[in-house]
Amino acid sequence: MNIFNKKGFNFIEIIIFVVIAILIFATFSQLFSLSVDLPFISDRSKALYYAQKEIEKLNNTPYSNILTILRTNYPDDTNYDYEIIVNENSPQNNKKDVFIRFYFKDKPQILVELFSKFIKLEKVELCEDFQDRNWTAPPWNWTRNPKGQWDIIEYPNNSQNYRAYYARRQSGFIYPDWAGSSNYTLSVDFYLTSFLLNYSIVRFYGRYNNTTDNGYFVEVRTYNIWLIDEYTYFYLYKVVNGVNTLLGQYYLDYSIFNNWHNIKLEMVQNKINVYFDGGQTPIITAIDNQFTSGSIRVSVESQSLATPVYFDNICVKEVD
């Protein structure tokens, strides 16, 4: 009997079998490796999400508050540690390189590292002294209403000092094309003239929307009744859709006619201060957070052509 009468595998079949076996092994090996790596991939994805979240927080943080945080446990997920490394790489200190790193808790291996560069933006500081005698010259293009009642004149005569000027029985206002900001001061020099029974009212607006009539303003009302009874009121209002709400007031038992004075309206976060004539202590302080940004405006109400109002050195300065 021939025990070898059954056909065996030829060489080509053996090669094919070996190749198929290798492919099957490789597939299962990859699947096994993937199943082992899945937890690590999931952890790394989560760490990447947290790192991006911290970058977003820094994008909304004042430049001066972007600071190094040494490695510590991440408060939003205690399975991770994180650190923020800040390098101020500019001689002018106006640029910061920021590295955000995430780790497994108490492990040396970095899971994720993100890099971002932050540049300190220059603060807005715009002042208009009207010396160019042009309503549309830099730094601002002024809107005037009524347009024909505003002018820029030399005052006093032969002083070579030019001021914005308004004199009319109805109310008038000016505002620039400046888009506005969040935290800033508005400072204005103003001069009110008196004539017996007449009164003058000026208003200085901040964080104001000239379209919706929303924002804050200081109102100065000063009276001179037959040169005997003189007094001045300062009011701080919030205006919402044309409706005024009183936030604070201050009183002087004399008028401030016929002299130059200064009002400064300061708005930082939710705190609003009003300063008068360079004083270091505000005459009015209020807390309100309804409006966080906006532009400026100056308005005036004069009782007659005999009581003109002058403005000068209208300045906006951003603050931290």
Side-chain angles (χ1 to χ4, degrees), residues 7 32 48 74 116 123 159 177 211 242 259 284:
K7 289 185 177 180
F32 177 76
L48 178 60
Y74 188 54
S116 186
K123 292 185 177 68
S159 66
D177 55 5
T211 301
N259 283 294
I284 303 174

Side-chain angles (χ1 to χ4, degrees), residues 145-160:
N145 184 34
K147 189 171 184 179
Q149 302 304 319
W150 287 91
D151 204 353
I152 297 174
I153 66 171
E154 186 181 29
Y155 185 79
N157 290 333
N158 302 316
S159 66
Q160 297 186 343

Side-chain angles (χ1 to χ4, degrees), residues 212-230:
T212 62
D213 196 16
N214 292 327
Y216 303 101
F217 69 89
V218 180
E219 178 177 285
V220 182
R221 288 176 174 260
T222 192
Y223 299 86
N224 181 352
I225 302 178
W226 294 110
L227 300 177
I228 297 174
D229 194 3
E230 299 184 315

Side-chain angles (χ1 to χ4, degrees), residues 84 164 201 222 231:
I84 299 177
I201 300 172
T222 192
Y231 48 92

Side-chain angles (χ1 to χ4, degrees), residues 1-21:
M1 176 182 292
N2 185 356
I3 61 173
F4 300 103
N5 62 355
K6 184 178 180 180
K7 289 185 177 180
F9 296 106
N10 61 36
F11 181 74
I12 294 176
E13 290 173 331
I14 292 173
I15 294 297
I16 293 172
F17 174 79
V18 171
V19 170
I20 293 173

Side-chain angles (χ1 to χ4, degrees), residues 223-243:
Y223 299 86
N224 181 352
I225 302 178
W226 294 110
L227 300 177
I228 297 174
D229 194 3
E230 299 184 315
Y231 48 92
T232 303
Y233 284 98
F234 300 82
Y235 301 99
L236 175 62
Y237 286 102
K238 173 174 64 176
V239 53
V240 181
N241 301 323
V243 178

Side-chain angles (χ1 to χ4, degrees), residues 250-311:
Y250 183 77
Y251 168 74
L252 294 176
D253 59 359
Y254 58 89
S255 71
I256 56 174
F257 287 119
N258 304 320
N259 283 294
W260 281 98
H261 297 279
N262 176 270
I263 279 288
K264 184 171 76 172
L265 175 61
E266 179 183 68
M267 295 154 292
V268 180
Q269 306 302 333
N270 65 345
K271 193 171 185 179
I272 306 167
N273 290 322
V274 180
Y275 299 86
F276 179 61
D277 279 352
Q280 299 301 306
T281 301
I283 60 172
I284 303 174
T285 295
I287 301 296
D288 192 274
N289 58 7
Q290 183 160 1
F291 303 116
T292 58
S293 64
S295 188
I296 68 169
R297 178 164 126 166
V298 172
S299 74
V300 59
E301 184 178 331
S302 183
Q303 193 174 12
S304 78
L305 294 174
T307 56
V309 182
Y310 304 89
F311 301 94

